[in-house]
Amino acid sequence: MKILAIESSCDETAAAVVEDGRDILSNVVSTQIEKHKIFGGVVPEIASRLHTENISAVVEKALGDANCTLADVDGIAVTYAPGLIGALLVGVNYAKGLALASGKPLIPVHHLRSHIAANYITHKDLKPPFMCLVVSGGNTLLCKVNDYTDFEVIGRTRDDAAGEAMDKAARTLGLPYPGGVNLDKISKNGDNTKYKFPKPRVDGCPLDFSFSGLKTSVINLVHNANQKGDELNPADVGASFINGVVNCLADNTIKAMDMHNEKTLVLAGGVSANSVLRGRMEKLAKEKGWDLYLPDLSLCGDNGAMVGAQGYFEFLKGTVAQMDLNGKATADIEKDYKN
Ligand code: KG4
């Protein structure tokens, strides 16, 4: 079964054709990074306008690269939530137009579910149930993936996401957008023990995260040094900060795996591209005897292929939307698209 998938939740206009939820026939990503760079982050209205300009060409290329026409696909999957609402609406409306014109089913896909599904493409043998650490720009959560469309959140961030904290740390150090990637790069040879960052705990909820204190702490460190005229080595600050974030992610993951008696761990989302996080999880998996699945680096960021993968499993479960499908800025991963 071939699914044409569309993704426009943030700053990538993306489309793909995916076969049976596992095989990429095409995967086209048009990134807006250069356009947002001068503002130091994504400007929502600019993102929506650029999606509007690019979406037709991206979808046409995805169909062309897959050697298909709209008539050859069995469904049209689209990210409906969560994300920037203006950006989401471009993809949702475009997908609705295609579904209406072709008579093909319209399949709504939750963005975080699709990040998890990037792993079904990378690892053809991976099947639920498993534990998943989802680390993206806007979300950080630990969830049990009981089935392809059955999710149970057991830990979540109370404030900022890990990606947001990485981006803010990078910005404070004067690194260009996209911050997390550049922070990872410049920190490779830094001393990760040079600075100590707080390790927050959420009272009574051992699996929840909090990154706002870490974020404030790195901002204060850099500002205080600037005010005193002290020189900081950005590689040391970056390496220590990343180490602080990864410690929090690793600690809660260990607790979650133990408490829920899990042996299979999957990582998902943009921050799962982080080299320190990947290395730490690989080391932990060896020590603890876990089966670890990491998404291919090319599928960690936003893309259409992951939407096509999840769209396939949503379709098998009978999730099909009508022409009143709307975009949503926020949506619970556990809930159906209508709720
Ligand atoms: O999942 P994603 O592509 O977008 C959302 O759906 O939110 O994640 C984007 C986030 C950004 O915060 C970005 O800085 C972060 O992922 N990121 C990284 C790395 N690559 C992307 N953070 C740390 N290290 C990286 N290598």
Side-chain angles (χ1 to χ4, degrees):
M1 177 181 286
K2 289 190 183 85
I3 305 276
L4 168 66
I6 296 174
E7 151 65 35
S8 69
S9 65
C10 191
D11 59 344
E12 327 279 359
T13 316
V17 179
V18 176
E19 184 136 45
D20 296 337
R22 300 271 180 181
D23 294 314
I24 297 178
L25 302 186
S26 66
N27 192 21
V28 180
V29 180
S30 164
T31 182
Q32 305 176 355
I33 285 176
E34 285 308 314
K35 297 280 171 39
H36 296 288
K37 216 174 206 166
I38 48 169
F39 303 102
V42 180
V43 181
E45 181 168 338
I46 294 177
S48 313
R49 288 170 187 268
L50 291 171
H51 287 312
T52 303
E53 276 175 31
N54 295 328
I55 196 158
S56 288
V58 168
V59 170
E60 263 172 44
K61 180 153 173 41
L63 285 169
D65 287 357
N67 229 350
C68 312
T69 65
L70 201 50
D72 301 319
V73 303
D74 302 286
I76 296 157
V78 64
T79 309
Y80 74 96
L84 301 173
I85 189 63
L88 285 164
L89 290 176
V90 177
V92 167
N93 275 321
Y94 198 85
K96 281 162 83 167
L98 291 181
L100 186 66
S102 64
K104 309 279 172 175
L106 176 67
I107 309 159
V109 175
H110 189 286
H111 186 56
L112 297 183
R113 290 188 182 192
S114 67
H115 269 301
I116 298 171
N119 285 283
Y120 302 136
I121 300 171
T122 308
H123 310 284
K124 308 294 181 212
D125 59 326
L126 176 64
K127 291 187 178 94
F130 53 77
M131 180 72 72
C132 189
L133 173 67
V134 184
V135 268
S136 73
N139 293 274
T140 302
L141 43 96
L142 273 162
C143 74
K144 285 172 76 176
V145 180
N146 298 322
D147 205 342
Y148 294 101
T149 58
D150 179 0
F151 303 82
E152 190 184 339
V153 176
I154 55 169
R156 62 177 84 225
T157 183
R158 291 300 183 98
D159 38 57
D160 296 322
E164 147 78 8
M166 297 272 198
D167 289 343
K168 250 333 129 45
R171 198 163 158 174
T172 309
L173 287 168
L175 301 176
Y177 168 83
V181 190
N182 290 316
L183 191 71
D184 195 5
K185 276 189 200 147
I186 67 130
S187 305
K188 290 250 159 37
N189 298 316
D191 173 0
N192 68 5
T193 60
K194 181 87 190 250
Y195 302 99
K196 291 272 168 282
F197 288 98
K199 201 188 226 183
R201 292 190 202 293
V202 181
D203 236 7
C205 299
L207 301 182
D208 279 0
F209 302 94
S210 166
F211 292 105
S212 68
L214 265 135
K215 192 177 84 176
T216 309
S217 166
V218 72
I219 293 171
N220 287 344
L221 172 74
V222 175
H223 286 175
N224 287 342
N226 288 347
Q227 278 161 7
K228 288 188 204 150
D230 293 347
E231 275 217 4
L232 286 175
N233 177 353
D236 293 343
V237 179
S240 304
F241 182 77
I242 291 175
N243 189 40
V245 172
V246 170
N247 285 342
C248 297
L249 294 171
D251 277 12
N252 285 18
T253 303
I254 295 170
K255 281 184 236 159
M257 296 292 281
D258 287 349
M259 284 163 71
H260 291 267
N261 214 5
E262 267 294 347
K263 283 284 172 206
T264 306
L265 176 67
V266 173
L267 256 60
V271 184
S272 63
N274 183 269
S275 58
V276 180
L277 179 62
R278 290 172 87 95
R280 179 75 63 86
M281 290 302 177
E282 272 160 0
K283 187 163 170 274
L284 273 176
K286 248 187 218 144
E287 282 167 17
K288 306 258 177 202
W290 301 338
D291 288 324
L292 175 70
Y293 294 86
L294 302 172
D296 190 84
L297 282 176
S298 66
L299 297 174
C300 289
D302 293 345
N303 64 84
M306 65 187 195
V307 181
Q310 184 61 24
Y312 169 75
F313 295 108
E314 298 288 349
F315 185 66
L316 291 188
K317 196 77 194 169
T319 306
V320 173
Q322 302 307 314
M323 282 299 127
D324 59 354
L325 177 68
N326 206 343
K328 284 185 187 172
T330 57
D332 194 331
I333 190 173
E334 292 175 337
K335 291 193 178 145
D336 179 64
Y337 77 99
K338 289 184 197 140
N339 298 307

